Amino acid sequence: MSKVLVIAEHLNGKLNSSTARCVTCARDLKPDAIDVLVLADAPDAIAAEAAKIDGVSKVFTMANAANTHALAAIAAPQIAAVAKNGYTHVFAPSTTFGKDVAPRVAALLGVAQVSDIMKVIDAHTFQRPIYAGNAIITVQAPADQTLVATVRTASYAAAANGANTAPIAALDISAELPTHTRFVELAQGKSDRPDLQSASRVVSGGRGVGSAENFAIIFKLADKLGAAVGASRAAVDAGYVPSDLQVGQTGKIIAPELYMAIGISGAIQHLTGIKDAGTIVAINKDGEAPIFEVADFGLVGDLFKLIPELEQALN
Amino acid sequence: MKILVAYKRVVDFNVRVQVKPDGSGVVTEGVKLSANPFDDIALEEALRLREKGVATEVIVATIGPADAQAHLRNGLAMGANRAIHVVTPNAIQPLTAARTLLKLVEKEQPQIVILGKQAIDDDANQTGQMLAALWNRPQATFASKVEIGNGVAKVTREVDAGLETIEVDLPAVITTDLRLNEPRFIKLPDIMKAKSKPMETIDFASPGVESGDHLKTTAYAPPAKRSKGVMVKDAAELVAALKTKGLL
């Protein structure tokens, strides 16, 4: 008898696909209900999107000006208050949003959290990665307390969206909200490219690209493929691209259908971020690079010669 | 102002961790152990705040087995004023760690607690947030820039959408991301100096922490391996192969 509360992630009035991925994971519990909670200043449009996700039973909204920006210290007491309405599980995506807020909810409830669920064994048993994915553990959570968990979004496809019409209800739960945490600004990389975390194609560059200027070659190829752009930690550390493009253990964990690693040697911390990709293509001048151990297609050579050739072949 | 830095000992980041053949755990015998790299960044940030005159004292604290002191000595050699070692017979989980740190917070009354955003062993990414909740104070996680002034921390955070800046009233919990700073190297004379710095040992049982170790790990397995694919000879062959798979 499980009842799951999924915390919706949204930005600029749009629901993030991580929410539908959490719903997919929640369905594996075979629960009696999957409800989605939307905290926002104006939640209606976001809630309407959430109500369409297959498998969602009900959508609850908490409209409050304090919820304009997702601040964990403000969201957590509201989530904890709703969780007490008989929920056995509280799920959030393992994105920076979910990682920030979920442990705060767990601590308020005095319960443990399972981070990065990659597989559901049963309602209280899960698999998750540790040591940058070098080991997969099976963890058992107690059945007599609410379980808070984050869902490794790359392990789950987004639940289909369209046929469902889950009822939407506004909640009015009085939780005392702190004023000690204030949003100042969000500097978003301006890009018309697909979002790295949900793109079906990703082209990533590494140290081998050599400079910020040279990264133009990666962006150009990505645009030709309609792909998002990613990078290895080495490329970010070297200042070629901003940190929100980093793929790997401490960056984004992604699962595109096609992943192209260009000038990336393939450290384990990077590989852990792409192990669920459908097809991995590696282009590197070092034929011994570890990236070739996991690549479905490998091409050894100078990327500055090979990428223009690749673009030509794509024409 | 005091800053408390949580400083966990983990398997060194250069070690390729292996699962034991019987699935009972990972191999840690004879493996190099070091401070969690994110915690080194936390300590470095605390030291910089002291050097700027914002803080007066930096305390490094660890919760771990009796022999987990070498990394604390390194933390002292890096520049922390003193160390606290809460000795636990067994590994503890994040909720217990947060409850234990809260006891230290109540005793030391720091204005800022800095932790790594995650430890590279369990990759849980929970303890800082849990501590902030239990302490009923703000959290600024995944920090890439920290400015302190007038009782407020202005923190830039690495979030999926870009860089978010928030303001939190002190006291507060900050967790560090990779690019907050580059930790300093330890100099030999500092290692000598660290030997005379105070290290307080507290038995885990004495502060009376309620265990939050609710999770049971029942199996360890190596990750599923991706099978090695094929090498193509040129760009044209690659495009043809991707087209055959329906990817282009």
Side-chain angles (χ1 to χ4, degrees), chain B residues 194-208:
Chain B
K195 287 184 177 160
S196 58
K197 286 185 178 177
M199 172 144 12
E200 183 185 356
T201 305
I202 301 173
D203 185 62
F204 178 74
S206 71

Side-chain angles (χ1 to χ4, degrees), chain A residues 201-219:
Chain A
R201 295 173 179 176
V202 173
V203 179
S204 277
R207 200 199 303 271
V209 177
S211 71
E213 294 72 40
N214 288 352
F215 231 84
I217 197 168
I218 302 293
F219 285 106

Side-chain angles (χ1 to χ4, degrees), chain A residues 11 70-72 95-96 99-100 103-104 106-108 110-116 128-142 145 179-189 197 201 225 233 236-237 243-244 246 249-250 252 257-258 268-269 274-281 283 292-300 306 309-310 313-314, chain B residues 11 13 15-19 26 28 38 93 95 99 117-127 129-134 136-142 152 154 157-169 177-179 212 214-224 226-236 238-239 241-243 245 247-248:
Chain A
L11 184 66
L71 296 169
T95 55
T96 52
K99 287 174 182 174
D100 190 32
R104 191 153 183 133
L108 290 179
V111 301
Q113 174 181 315
V114 174
S115 296
D116 306 315
R128 65 171 297 258
I130 58 171
Y131 288 104
N134 275 314
I136 308 299
I137 55 171
T138 304
V139 284
Q140 228 168 38
Q145 53 179 234
T179 55
H180 55 46
T181 303
R182 298 171 293 276
F183 175 85
V184 178
E185 62 171 352
L186 173 64
Q188 272 184 281
Q197 265 166 323
R201 295 173 179 176
L225 290 164
R233 177 181 167 185
V236 175
D237 280 348
S243 58
D244 54 328
Q246 185 175 322
Q249 180 191 17
T250 60
K252 294 190 166 91
E257 286 165 34
L258 174 63
I268 178 73
Q269 289 83 357
I274 59 168
K275 67 189 207 57
D276 295 301
T279 296
I280 297 175
V281 172
I283 298 179
F292 290 116
E293 294 300 315
V294 300
D296 299 277
F297 300 108
L299 182 52
V300 178
L306 289 172
E309 286 175 10
L310 191 58
L314 285 166
Chain B
V11 172
F13 75 100
V15 174
R16 178 77 186 254
V17 173
Q18 306 273 357
V19 174
V26 299
T28 51
F38 289 101
Q93 293 171 17
L95 183 58
R99 285 174 175 167
K117 73 167 179 180
Q118 70 193 73
I120 60 164
D121 50 3
D122 61 13
D123 284 332
N125 197 330
Q126 299 176 11
T127 305
Q129 296 90 313
M130 286 181 162
L131 171 62
L134 299 175
N136 198 18
R137 293 304 309 165
Q139 67 190 48
T141 53
F142 325 143
V152 168
K154 191 174 172 188
R157 310 176 53 234
E158 290 195 16
V159 297
D160 292 334
L163 294 172
E164 183 192 66
T165 304
I166 62 170
E167 236 177 42
V168 296
D169 295 338
D177 216 314
L178 275 178
R179 274 163 286 271
H214 300 303
L215 302 178
K216 202 168 108 192
T217 299
T218 57
Y220 291 76
R226 286 186 76 102
S227 49
K228 196 178 157 127
V230 296
M231 301 302 282
V232 293
K233 66 177 194 315
D234 58 26
L238 176 59
V239 170
L242 294 177
K243 278 189 174 148
K245 279 192 98 174
L247 289 162
L248 291 176

Side-chain angles (χ1 to χ4, degrees), chain A residues 148-171:
Chain A
V148 175
T150 59
V151 174
R152 187 177 178 279
T153 49
S155 299
Y156 295 92
N161 185 333
N164 195 13
T165 51
I168 300 170
L171 283 184

